[in-house]
Structure formats: structure tokens, C-alpha cells
Amino acid sequence: METLKELCGGLPLNPLPPNHGRDPNVPHAPVRTPNLTAEEERLALKNALRYFPPALHSTLAPEFAQELRQYGHIYMYRFCPTVRMRAYPIDQYPCQTRHAAAIMHMIMNNLDQAVAQFPQELVTYGGNGQVFSNWAQFWLVFHYLSTMNDEQTLVMYSGHPLGLFPSLPSSPRCVITNGMVIPNYSSRENYEKMFALGITMYGQMTAGSYCYIGPQGIVHGTMLTVLNAGRRYLGTSDLRGRVFVTSGLGGMSGAQAKAAVIAGCVGVIAEVDEVPLKKRHEQGWLMEVTNDLDHCMKRIREARKSKMALSLGYHGNIVDLWERLWQEYERTGELLVDLGSDQTSLHNPFSGGYYPVQLSFKQANQLMNTDPQLFRTTVHESLRRHVAAINKLSEEGMYFWDYGNAFLLEAKRAGADVEKSGGGATEFKYPSYVQHIMGDIFSLGFGPFRWVCTSGDPADLAKTDDIATAVLEQISASVTERVRQQYNDNIRWIREAGKHNMVVGSQARILYSDQRGRVSIALAINKAVADGRVTAPVVISRDHHDVSGTDSPFRETSNIYDGSAFCADMAVQNVIGDAFRGATWVALHNGGGVGWGEVMNGGFGLVLDGSEEAGNRARTMLNWDVSNGVARRCWSGNSNAYETIQLTMEDQTQLRVTMPYHVQDERILYRALQ
């Protein structure tokens, strides 16, 4: 087993490590079907061999060719490190700069077997969210990070380390782009070929930006979504005895069970793959598991009656669960579900993101490889059944929303009944959770802020929890009632986070905060690092799914109705602005959440090392990182954002935002166009 020092020594070539192939004890990504021509296969092999001296080509070429044909991609399994992947304390990384060591800490967390969905394929979450494209890239990145100084920047092209380039001490230490394909060629089919060729990569959101913190990253957002769905649809914050039905217990979706219990409701989550189901149960995130629909209905009725908080995992297909719930209603007149959603990975519907109800899990994995076209047809048939059952239950009083996983978008493409009469380009029969629930929260400047204690010490995390709670309590005394409700939700969350065993992987925490809260928490944590109350640097970051981070017309920007929902200026400007305002690293991605070609998004990492400079960077960068998106949402006509950015300008004298004038009499438009 290598040491961290050996891991930083560059590609192990003399001697070559033994080729153990795929580890049968860990889950693996579905086989990809890029449908390469013979010429494209040769190009993929040639591209992979570029990482190695010619003397090794005759040894490596046959095994890389076998991987390409057997798995649809060259992962270079021979070079999968034997060191245990986890977020080691920052002082254990042999680096010249702590900023580089912090990036290493974050990368290894993304590939931790307890965190990553398919660790040997370098997939963190979402079925295809890559950290790197192959293991040669991993070794080179660690070598570069271990040798870099404060006047160099590591440039990353879709997993490939282009190299270390001279820069300024104030520059980011790493700049990442993933999937930057010319728009006319950014199709799903072209992606499969390009990924197989080793020339681009789908980084999802925080997979390819090295900022994933395990399913905790979405537990909080899901809890807030369910709580606010109860307020909007059911007229109450008390969800005891209320039933929330959804699907998915893999990477991001694995948060749903825990979030339902924290929100106080009955969460019933379907999952076809037994591996993540068992994983969530063993972690304590899922209270009960059953593969029997009769037992499932029995437990729903018992939990509703007793008003107990319950997370129940159904090992089976979500379509079977929805159809059974409809049958129960037809038989008894009892509607057993109040709220519904879906978190299958429909951004990736034909390569393991969605399993059609007509096939077993094993049969589906076989068919998607042996007959991709028939599998596609089967997925579409399943989606039509899926939506039909949801429609029937919704007509009787269930409230359903799209969770931004491209469920309604793919259902529409499958011919399912999801059209909204008279709806706009981003509207369906059911709202996305951004349109009805989280969009207003974004417009207030609230989003998924997070931090990671690089010491790896739970005591440091507990200290930062206390710091953040104190900051939020102080701020909440002087805000509007609407904003105070969001602060109170987050204070409740962070007080309870410790007892709910949120940490999987790095010592990390997430909470939804606005601009003022993020800046104040970051400065308070930086001060705690400076005076030794927190023993090592802390990385602050956020999900790309945030106020300013993502342009996604079917999710993050689906509640923007001025026609600009399909424009990506906000996300691109955000990354550029973060880079020159002090971020330690930045990332810009094509795809993430809804899927390849549907989204532009970006993120950052910023190291708080206790220095005055770190505090100044955090203040400047975080203010921009939120105000950018609020200003854009204000210009699109959102009243919450208008009010928020006005208050921000009053607080920050150097901020000047172009404010919109609204047409007060729309008859003027009709008369002008007659």
C-alpha cells in the first residue's frame, strides 16, 4: 500500500504496478456504449497512451483496449492506488503550500469508498459525475499539487492536468473546466464518444470541482424543500403523519431518507439497487427496509396513525410503488401520500440513471449494453407509466414537484402527459422545486453554503457549528420576518446536525445562508483558526446549485421568466469574478443536475488559514458570489430579489446595480403591437 508521499511522486512506471483489474467488492459504473468506429477506437487508445513513455505502450495498449471494449471507457484500473482513499488531515500531505494540501484533502474525500458512488471509475455521484477521467490524471494532479508554490496555478481541462503555469500569489491555485464543448456539439450522443476518447468529462457539480461532502450536502436542502413544501401545499410546518414518497438512495438522492425524518414526516423511498439501499441502512440514514409492497402499505398506515417520523426504503421500482398507492386509493378511498417527488438520475436516463419497471435490475444493466435502442424504448414506456400513476394520485390531492433531476423533461421527451396548458418553455404540469419552493429562497440570497475542517477532527467541526449558530442567532434579531424564518430553519438544522450523524467522509457542514450570514460565518471561522480554537485551516465552499452558481432553465433558473432562463452569463461571470476576488480554486462545468448540454454551472473553494488576507478574500469574494445572482434575478423581475439587492446596496456603498422599471399597464404592449 502506497504512502501519501509515494502518491505524490508521479505516475508509478518503474516498475509498473500489478494490474488487478476491477475490485469485485465495490460497486461499479454501468458499461458505457459510446458506439465508436474502428478509427475512433484507435484514437481513444492513442490518446490514453499519451500519458506513458513509448517503452510501455506494448504492455499497456492491450489492456486499455480491453477496458475500452468491455466497459466503454479507459479508466486505467492498473493505476488505481492501493492507499486508502479518505480525507487525511491536511498536515499529512507533503506539499509546499497548504492551499495545495487542502485541494488534495478535498479530492481524496470525493474518492473515499464511503462517499463515492463508483470509486474505481472515479465517479463521486449521479451515476457519471467524474472527479477525473482516468487514474493517470489522478497521479499527475497529486504530483503537481505536491510540488506547486504560491506563484503557480494548476490548469485542469476536463480531468486532464494541462500543467502548472506561473501566476500571482493572489491568483487561484487551481482552475478547472469540465465539458466545455462548443454548443452545437454538446449533445448526449457526442458526449459518450468524447468521454470514451478521453477528451472531455462530465463533472456533475461538486464531483469535478472537488467539493462534494457526501449526502449531507443535499440532506439540508431536501429538508428545507420538504418543510417549505408542507408550508406551501399543506399549509403547515408540522409534517407529523404526512407521507412523502420519492425514489433514489444513491449519491445525492441518498439524503432523502434522513431529510424526511429530520422534517418529521414519513419518507418512503424506492431504490432498485440493493447496494446503496444497504449502505444507507447500515449508515443509519434509512430506518427500515422492505421489498414487500403489502408490508410497505402496512407501515405507511401505522406511521400515519402514530405520527412517527419514519424513513422506509422500498427495494423495488418506484413505478410499482406509485401504481400500488393508486390501487390502494381505488380499493379503499384512502390517499396514503401527501407529497411526492423523484430523484432518479434522469440526466443520464439510458446509462444507468433510470431503471424501467418492465425489467429487473440485472436485466436492465444487460439490455442497456446489448441493445441500447430497445433499452431507450423501454425507458420511455416506463416513464409514461410512471407519470400516469402520479397524475391519478395528484388529481385526488397529492402534491408532486420535479426535483430538478430532469424527470419531467425526460418524461416529456418520452411522450408522457406532463404538458402544461399555456405554459412557457420551462413549465410543465408540475412545478420544479425551484419554481414553487426554493426559487424564492435563492432570490433572498439563501443557498447551500458549506465548510470542511481539514484537520479531520470532529472537535473542530463541533466548534465551527457553535460559531455558525452564534452568528446566525445574532443576525436573525435584525432581519425581516421572511428572512428570519429561513434563519430559524437553519439554526434548528445546525443544532440537530450533530445528533443525526451527518458526517460521511470529511468533517464537513452545510447550511443555507444569505450573503450577510456567509460572510459573517467565514470571518468568524477564520478568526477561530487564527487564535487556535480551530486547529487547522477550513475550506469554505458551496454547492453549484446556488443563488449565482448555476444557469439551468429546468432547475435553478426555472423561475426566471424574462426569456433569459436559457442564457448562461450568470454562471460564467460568477466563476470569473470568484477567481479574481480571492478563491483558492474555481471550476466551470457543462452539465450537472439536469444533464449534459442542459446546464452551465460553477463553484469554488476558499481556504481560511487564519490570515488577514484570507479574511479579506472571503469578504470580497462571498459578497460577489451572492450579489451576482440576486442582481440577475432582480433584473428578471423577481420581487424578493429586488428588495434583497436594494438592502444590499444600502449596506455596501460601492455596490451599484441596474434596477428594472416594470411595465405597470400591460395594455400599452397590446396597443403598441396592434
Side-chain angles (χ1 to χ4, degrees), residues 3 68 109 159 240 276 284 540 560 657-658:
T3 63
L68 180 64
N109 184 68
R240 289 175 298 172
I540 57 171
I560 286 178
V657 171
T658 306

Side-chain angles (χ1 to χ4, degrees), residues 528-539:
V529 174
D531 62 27
R533 285 176 292 146
V534 173
T535 63
V538 172
V539 173

Side-chain angles (χ1 to χ4, degrees), residues 445 514-516 518-519 542 546-549 551 568-583 586 602-604 606 616-633 645 648 652 654-657:
D514 62 355
Q515 182 170 327
R516 184 179 174 190
R518 297 185 205 202
V519 173
R542 57 162 171 75
D546 194 19
V547 180
S548 311
D551 283 297
D569 300 85
M570 178 178 72
V572 175
Q573 286 277 1
N574 216 67
V575 169
I576 295 170
D578 285 351
F580 67 73
R581 285 179 174 87
V586 292
F604 72 87
L606 195 158
N616 291 335
R617 287 177 178 233
R619 181 186 294 106
T620 304
M621 197 216 74
L622 289 173
N623 277 318
W624 154 256
D625 193 67
V626 178
S627 283
N628 172 39
V630 177
R632 185 267 179 99
R633 293 169 191 276
I645 205 67
T648 306
Q652 297 182 11
Q654 294 193 68
L655 177 65
R656 288 290 178 269
V657 171

Side-chain angles (χ1 to χ4, degrees), residues 85-104:
M85 287 288 174
R86 69 177 183 89
Y88 291 90
I90 189 171
D91 291 336
Q92 293 186 23
Y93 293 99
C95 295
Q96 295 187 42
T97 165
R98 277 187 142 189
H99 287 186
I103 298 171
M104 287 181 167

Side-chain angles (χ1 to χ4, degrees), residues 56 237 292 316 374 389 433 503 541 577 588:
L56 299 175
S237 297
D292 184 335
L374 178 57
Y433 75 121
V503 171
S541 182
L588 181 65

